Amino acid sequence: MPVEHEQLIEAAKKARQNAYAPYSNYFVGAAIVDDRGDIHTGCNVENAAYPEGNCAETNAIGAMVAAGGKRISVIAAVGGGDDLEFCTPCGGCRQSILEFSDENTRIILINEEGQIQKYSIDELLPLAFRLRQARL
Ligand code: THU
């Protein structure tokens, strides 16, 4: 595993410790390496009005954009329960990841036991919706 990935996974685990998930008790951390090599993190933040809660990946993307990052090089997500399930990004997060991805972007998932899975956004979101007229 590249050293960069280890560092990213550590950053995602650290963010996960701050997850605010009193309703689901499902704690998720995410960390991004952007096109400049900078790291941005996020955790899930729930709300008593359930739909107002946000996922870890989406919050990490928001942090990246606010800091001036343009593309996701790698995004790592750490979550899951004791059953060792991987926290695969929800549908909305897949669309959000796509927005800042290219063919080289990698999505890394880590479960409670430290096992790792690696995907491209095309694998996670085939036939994705795209707006061709976006001016980037
Ligand atoms: N969650 C994430 O943060 N990322 C995902 O990819 C899936 C789900 C959060 C949302 C909610 O706070 C909790 O996990 C349970 O759904």
Side-chain angles (χ1 to χ4, degrees):
M1 187 181 9
V3 174
E4 180 194 273
H5 288 186
E6 273 177 33
Q7 199 189 336
L8 198 63
I9 290 164
E10 281 316 305
K13 283 183 179 168
K14 202 169 164 205
R16 187 186 184 214
Q17 287 170 4
N18 294 323
Y20 177 76
Y23 304 103
S24 71
N25 283 317
Y26 191 95
F27 301 89
V28 187
I32 291 172
V33 183
D34 71 14
D35 46 298
R36 302 181 299 194
D38 293 338
I39 291 182
H40 312 279
T41 61
C43 58
N44 56 331
V45 181
E46 297 185 345
N47 192 281
Y50 292 176
E52 299 307 318
N54 287 317
C55 288
E57 297 91 324
T58 295
N59 284 338
I61 290 170
M64 179 192 83
V65 173
K70 303 292 182 209
R71 313 298 298 165
I72 299 170
S73 174
V74 185
I75 179 167
V78 184
D82 298 336
D83 51 8
L84 302 183
E85 256 186 27
F86 287 89
C87 176
T88 49
C90 77
C93 283
R94 292 177 197 209
Q95 189 73 36
S96 297
I97 292 168
L98 171 72
E99 186 74 22
F100 300 99
S101 288
D102 56 38
E103 64 279 5
N104 297 317
T105 297
R106 286 297 170 269
I107 297 118
I108 296 178
L109 310 179
I110 304 99
N111 70 2
E112 285 279 0
E113 200 151 78
Q115 294 166 319
I116 291 176
Q117 293 181 349
K118 209 172 176 184
Y119 299 99
S120 67
I121 191 62
D122 267 359
E123 288 175 302
L124 292 187
L125 194 63
L127 296 176
F129 173 74
R130 288 183 169 86
L131 260 190
R132 303 214 183 283
Q133 59 264 44
R135 290 191 187 86
L136 302 174

